[in-house]
């Protein structure tokens, strides 16, 4: 019986170890994928900036719009990610981010198409239209980031106000303690000469 229980315990322990190893492996894979995506995003941004610097003509304007769009969408994503990890209200920021990203992907596709356009007449007509869409998305991102900042700032302001009140009370208590200590020292200093005079008088009367 003891042997059977030992075998069962060994099997259960093996399953637990396998499960723990699977969880750890999954976490490591997810982290690796996350940082890979972050690095790829950074690399794409650097490559796009380099292309803007070395390109001229109408295509440079298109690349600059692509860069503006990418920067705006990235700032929006970062703000929403910060909001989701904060204690403030989240609201519908995640859903709004997905909608903005979907519209941004559409505009990005239009810009990629214009980037390969060689007809200057088409570029002169289409680039202002797409620029207006980029500017609209930038305005939406600014509004969303402002909403996120307000959500982050409200609890921070309350916390700082409470902290300021606690500090003011502590400073007032310390000041009162220091004043009381000075008063006690002054009282003791005044009592010492009186004790000395009393001692002299007593000795004189005894003599």
């Amino acid at each position: 019986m003891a042997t059977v229980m030992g075998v069962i315990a060994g099997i259960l322990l093996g399953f637990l170890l396998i499960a723990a190893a699977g969880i750890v492996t999954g976490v490591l894979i997810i982290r690796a994928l996350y940082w890979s995506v972050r690095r790829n995003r950074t690399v794409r941004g650097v490559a796009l900036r380099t292309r803007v610097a070395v390109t001229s003509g109408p295509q440079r304007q298109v690349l600059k719009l692509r860069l503006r769009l990418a920067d705006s969408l990235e700032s929006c994503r970062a703000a929403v990610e910060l909001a989701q990890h904060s204690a403030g209200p989240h609201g519908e920021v995640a859903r709004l981010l997905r909608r903005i990203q979907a519209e941004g992907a559409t505009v990005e596709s239009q810009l990629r198409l214009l980037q390969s356009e060689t007809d200057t007449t088409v570029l002169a007509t289409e680039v202002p239209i797409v620029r207006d869409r980029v500017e609209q998305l930038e305005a939406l991102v600014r509004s969303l980031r402002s909403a996120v900042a307000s959500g982050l700032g409200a609890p921070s302001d309350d916390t700082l106000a409470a902290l300021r009140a606690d500090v003011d009370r502590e400073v007032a208590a310390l000041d009162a303690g220091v004043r009381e200590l000075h008063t006690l020292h002054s009282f003791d200093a005044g009592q010492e000469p009186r004790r000395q005079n009393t001692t002299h008088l007593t000795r004189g009367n005894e003599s």
Side-chain angles (χ1 to χ4, degrees):
M1 184 66 180
T3 303
V4 174
M5 293 300 295
V7 171
I8 294 174
I11 293 173
L12 291 176
L13 180 60
F15 278 130
L16 289 175
L17 290 174
I18 292 172
I23 292 172
V24 171
T25 303
V27 171
L28 292 176
I29 291 174
I30 291 173
R31 288 187 62 183
L33 289 174
Y34 173 77
W35 288 111
S36 176
V37 170
R38 290 291 299 270
R39 284 194 297 269
N40 289 339
R41 189 182 294 120
T42 303
V43 170
R44 287 197 300 268
V46 172
L48 195 54
R49 282 177 168 79
T50 302
R51 293 181 65 184
V52 169
V54 301
T55 305
S56 60
Q59 275 73 27
R60 187 171 189 271
Q61 299 301 317
V62 175
L63 286 170
K64 288 175 66 176
L65 289 175
R66 285 188 60 196
L67 183 59
R68 286 173 54 183
L69 179 62
D71 288 345
S72 185
L73 293 176
E74 174 60 18
S75 70
C76 185
R77 185 203 60 77
V80 172
E81 182 178 309
L82 181 62
Q84 291 176 329
H85 288 83
S86 71
H90 298 166
E92 296 291 325
V93 292
R95 183 178 62 84
L96 292 173
L97 171 64
R98 289 192 294 270
R99 292 180 61 185
I100 290 174
Q101 287 176 327
E103 293 299 325
T106 301
V107 176
E108 169 68 9
S109 298
Q110 294 171 345
L111 287 168
R112 284 179 175 273
L113 182 62
L114 287 176
Q115 191 176 323
S116 61
E117 180 62 61
T118 57
D119 191 333
T120 55
T121 303
V122 173
L123 287 171
T125 303
E126 295 297 327
V127 168
I129 296 175
V130 183
R131 180 186 294 112
D132 180 67
R133 292 169 185 163
V134 172
E135 291 173 352
Q136 290 184 56
L137 283 169
E138 288 175 331
L140 290 171
V141 168
R142 284 194 298 269
S143 298
L144 186 58
R145 284 178 60 88
S146 178
V148 169
S150 298
L152 293 175
S156 296
D157 290 342
D158 294 340
T159 303
L160 288 174
L163 179 59
R164 187 178 302 109
D166 290 342
V167 170
D168 290 342
R169 281 194 296 269
E170 185 63 23
V171 169
L174 289 173
D175 287 343
V178 170
R179 286 196 299 270
E180 183 176 358
L181 187 60
H182 287 168
T183 301
L184 290 174
H185 282 317
S186 299
F187 180 76
D188 290 342
Q191 288 295 321
E192 185 62 28
R194 293 179 184 178
R195 285 196 293 269
Q196 293 176 356
N197 291 335
T198 303
T199 301
H200 289 311
L201 289 173
T202 301
R203 291 176 179 174
N205 290 334
E206 290 177 351
S207 60

